[in-house]
Amino acid sequence: MTPPLEVPDLVRERAMANRRAGQAWLDSLPEHVAALADRWDLRIGGAFRGGTAALVVAATTSTGGECVLKIGMPLDMDEVDTFGRSVRVHRFAAGRGCAALIEHDDAERAMVLECLGPNLAELGLGVPETLEVIATTLRTFWCPMSAECELPTGVDQAQWLASYVVRTWEELDRPCPREVIDRAVALCDERAAAFDPSRAVLVHGDAHGWNTLAAGEAGYKFVDPEGLWSEPAHDLSVAMREYNE
């Protein structure tokens, strides 16, 4: 018997922030999950907590293998093709430093992934150990890519960030001086101008401890890749942001 579908609070709250579209997605999830489970011959388990933009549940294949079913929420502002990008990244990585992709359906925004262990936060690692694991795993994940890889570049990300900073500042009724915003935008412009395609590789884009999971003999692997074509230092900036102490 399939247990009732449990949607984590953070996922439900993010969906509800999108009003009718979010409610429609939530209402469709039980049927959606059941259809995908039938199609891919999966037995569905409990939901994983921690993320906000997708429903992620444990699953078991017909042969008894453990896996994960992930269904993306098609509601993210400015992120029209995040699911397609994620699929491309999983394919490019081919299980190196990133959870292996088993099945996917672009139209349904669903994928079946390799099941991994606890993340670095759950393992209770200190900041030095966390940074060492992330950096080591990134060396496995990074790989050369051509400009035809169909992923956003470091320039694209810098321009998006500048636009997001200005728009959010306006939406929040200008909570800080304009000089702060101008400085942030100037730094984004500097980063875009300094982009060096000769050094660009496949980068994760959000490599922090909560996205770094134990992978048995393979050490550790990432989940939830944003997927960009940028310099390796791009990934190190995320660790600096999360662990600035």
Side-chain angles (χ1 to χ4, degrees), residues 6-242:
E6 179 187 7
V7 179
D9 291 341
L10 291 178
V11 175
R12 186 176 296 278
E13 290 170 8
R14 182 161 183 173
M16 292 306 299
N18 289 274
R19 302 181 179 84
R20 290 183 181 178
Q23 185 63 62
W25 182 76
L26 289 170
D27 291 343
S28 72
L29 275 178
E31 183 177 351
H32 196 177
V33 170
L36 290 169
D38 183 64
R39 173 181 171 185
W40 287 323
D41 202 5
L42 303 174
R43 187 168 69 250
I44 302 301
F48 291 100
R49 303 182 182 279
T52 63
L55 175 70
V56 183
V57 296
T60 307
T61 68
S62 59
T63 59
E66 294 183 345
C67 60
V68 170
L69 174 64
K70 179 177 180 180
I71 302 177
M73 189 187 305
L75 307 169
D76 289 342
M77 177 184 63
D78 292 335
E79 296 182 0
V80 177
D81 190 34
T82 51
F83 181 84
R85 280 169 57 187
S86 182
V87 168
R88 287 196 292 275
V89 173
H90 280 291
R91 283 176 163 172
F92 290 146
R96 297 183 303 272
C98 190
L101 179 67
I102 301 170
E103 301 278 4
H104 78 279
D105 186 312
D106 291 345
E108 300 292 340
R109 296 178 63 85
M111 62 177 76
V112 178
L113 297 165
E114 169 188 13
C115 183
L116 299 173
N119 64 42
L120 299 187
E122 293 169 330
L123 290 172
L125 298 187
V127 171
E129 295 86 357
T130 293
L131 294 175
E132 178 64 29
V133 169
I134 291 172
T136 299
T137 309
L138 282 170
R139 293 188 189 101
T140 302
F141 178 83
W142 289 328
C143 63
M145 304 292 296
S146 71
E148 289 72 43
C149 63
E150 298 183 353
L151 292 174
T153 68
V155 175
D156 296 326
Q157 187 69 2
Q159 292 173 341
W160 176 88
L161 183 57
S163 174
Y164 176 79
V165 166
V166 173
R167 182 175 64 253
T168 305
W169 182 68
E170 294 284 359
E171 291 173 352
L172 295 177
D173 198 23
R174 303 183 178 187
C176 64
R178 178 73 206 201
E179 290 80 7
V180 175
I181 303 303
D182 289 342
R183 176 61 174 151
V185 171
L187 289 170
C188 290
D189 292 343
E190 288 178 19
R191 184 61 258 156
F195 174 66
D196 183 358
S198 70
R199 298 186 63 247
V201 297
L202 172 66
V203 302
H204 183 284
D206 201 20
H208 52 65
W210 294 271
N211 280 344
T212 312
L213 280 58
E217 294 181 359
Y220 296 87
K221 292 185 178 184
F222 295 118
V223 295
D224 295 342
E226 290 187 359
L228 299 123
W229 188 56
S230 192
E231 298 96 332
H234 188 134
D235 269 334
L236 301 182
S237 67
V238 175
M240 293 171 65
R241 177 196 71 195
E242 294 291 341

